[in-house]
Amino acid sequence: MRIVAFNYRDIPNFPQSTVHGHAGRLVFGTLKGRPCVCMQGRFHLYEGYPIQKITMPMRIFKLLGVETVILTNAAGGLNQDYKVGDIMIIKDHLNMPGFAGNNPLAGPNDERFGVRFPCMSDAYDRELQQMALDVGSELGYSDFLREGVYCVLGGPSFETIAECRMLHKLGADAVGMSTVHEVIVARHCGMRVFALSLITNKAVMNYDSEEKANHEEVLQTGKQRAEQLERLVSTIVTRLEHNNNFA
Ligand SMILES: O=P(O)(O)O[C@H]1O[C@H](CO)[C@@H](O)[C@H]1O
């Protein structure tokens, strides 16, 4: 298998990864014979980037001919049934920065990519969600595979207890600081989207709790589930080829 990788710093105008755990490379290769481009590290509002810069890779992927985008993230579990290590198929999102006007599509619309007012009620492809459930069940992952709503915040501070309680009441199952901006731009230009959250920690919802969200726990849980996540995603990619809808 041949792989070609570029450091973000060698790509003109590409943002740089500043987060521990995000390597900062764009890797081209094949996954089970299927041509893919992977980002080893993505970008976040809290790194100080304008939201258009965070999402620029999505438009590059569109121009490269990519048709399906698979996003993964680490997230805190708000749903009380969730356990650390669960994998949540994202079925919908709450875009908190968007409520405050921080949407990657704000500003003049570039008609070459999409329409001024894109629909988001179909942001997460339902066929791919079902396929992930089927694949997860075949792989024996059903006990830790969930479906839920992801809420994005600006970060970098983790949430207060009151914020976690509010987000849960609003219908969020998991909370994080990424993904949604990319989803919006990917959907705007017509790519189909599938996204997963790894529940790396439980959001603290109780004033008696001694637990504290921290990035070390996030990285640790990521390492523990890495192999299973890899198998899930690569099997889904293989099925895309078999379905042949979006080859
Ligand atoms: O970058 P992702 O996978 O979303 O990771 C999550 O974990 C980090 C915090 O520990 C934040 O970057 C948050 O968004």
Side-chain angles (χ1 to χ4, degrees):
M1 180 168 63
R2 207 169 111 76
I3 279 178
V4 183
F6 300 91
N7 290 319
Y8 291 163
R9 65 172 174 275
D10 296 328
I11 306 172
N13 297 318
F14 212 79
Q16 305 305 308
S17 283
T18 68
V19 190
H20 181 43
H22 288 249
R25 295 193 328 157
L26 197 58
V27 182
F28 292 81
T30 52
L31 194 53
K32 311 245 168 128
R34 195 90 168 73
C36 290
V37 52
C38 298
M39 293 180 73
Q40 282 187 325
R42 304 213 314 280
F43 312 108
H44 308 79
L45 279 178
Y46 63 74
E47 292 175 85
Y49 290 118
I51 197 162
Q52 285 83 4
K53 192 97 178 171
I54 291 171
T55 53
M56 183 182 90
M58 294 301 121
R59 288 191 167 174
I60 294 176
F61 294 153
K62 175 69 183 177
L63 294 171
L64 286 171
V66 169
E67 297 193 346
T68 303
V69 176
I70 299 180
L71 294 140
T72 61
N73 64 45
L78 294 162
N79 186 319
Q80 294 305 288
D81 295 337
Y82 287 7
K83 294 188 205 58
V84 169
D86 282 354
I87 296 172
M88 183 186 88
I89 296 165
I90 302 181
K91 67 173 183 195
D92 206 347
H93 69 225
L94 291 175
N95 179 12
M96 289 298 176
F99 288 176
N102 203 0
N103 186 300
L105 301 176
N109 183 50
D110 190 335
E111 298 286 335
R112 292 172 303 175
F113 287 101
V115 297
R116 170 76 288 188
F117 300 110
C119 174
M120 284 295 141
S121 56
D122 60 351
Y124 300 88
D125 190 275
R126 299 217 173 98
E127 262 183 46
L128 294 180
Q129 289 172 50
Q130 186 56 52
M131 190 197 290
L133 284 173
D134 296 343
V135 169
S137 144
E138 287 166 34
L139 292 173
Y141 293 178
S142 296
D143 284 352
F144 57 88
L145 200 57
R146 316 280 189 164
E147 284 178 284
V149 176
Y150 175 84
C151 176
V152 62
L153 301 181
S157 48
F158 286 111
E159 304 68 47
T160 64
I161 293 170
E163 286 165 347
C164 288
R165 290 178 168 195
M166 178 192 79
L167 298 176
H168 184 234
K169 282 206 173 105
L170 290 179
D173 296 297
V175 57
M177 309 169 192
S178 72
T179 306
V180 167
H181 321 303
E182 289 113 315
V183 170
I184 291 170
V185 171
R187 290 301 298 146
H188 177 248
C189 63
M191 294 190 288
R192 94 174 169 156
V193 167
F194 173 72
L196 288 174
S197 288
L198 174 63
I199 305 300
T200 51
N201 56 289
K202 285 186 84 127
V204 182
M205 311 278 275
N206 194 325
Y207 287 100
D208 297 332
S209 171
E210 299 278 305
E211 283 174 46
K212 292 181 183 189
N214 64 87
H215 191 54
E216 287 63 43
E217 184 182 9
V218 171
L219 294 176
Q220 183 63 29
T221 314
K223 276 196 196 120
Q224 284 163 2
R225 273 280 188 251
E227 229 173 80
Q228 281 150 317
L229 265 172
E230 202 179 303
R231 198 165 308 134
L232 181 63
V233 170
S234 58
T235 311
I236 292 170
V237 171
T238 318
R239 299 284 163 92
L240 284 181
E241 191 175 39
H242 286 158
N243 278 355
N244 210 24
N245 289 337
F246 282 77

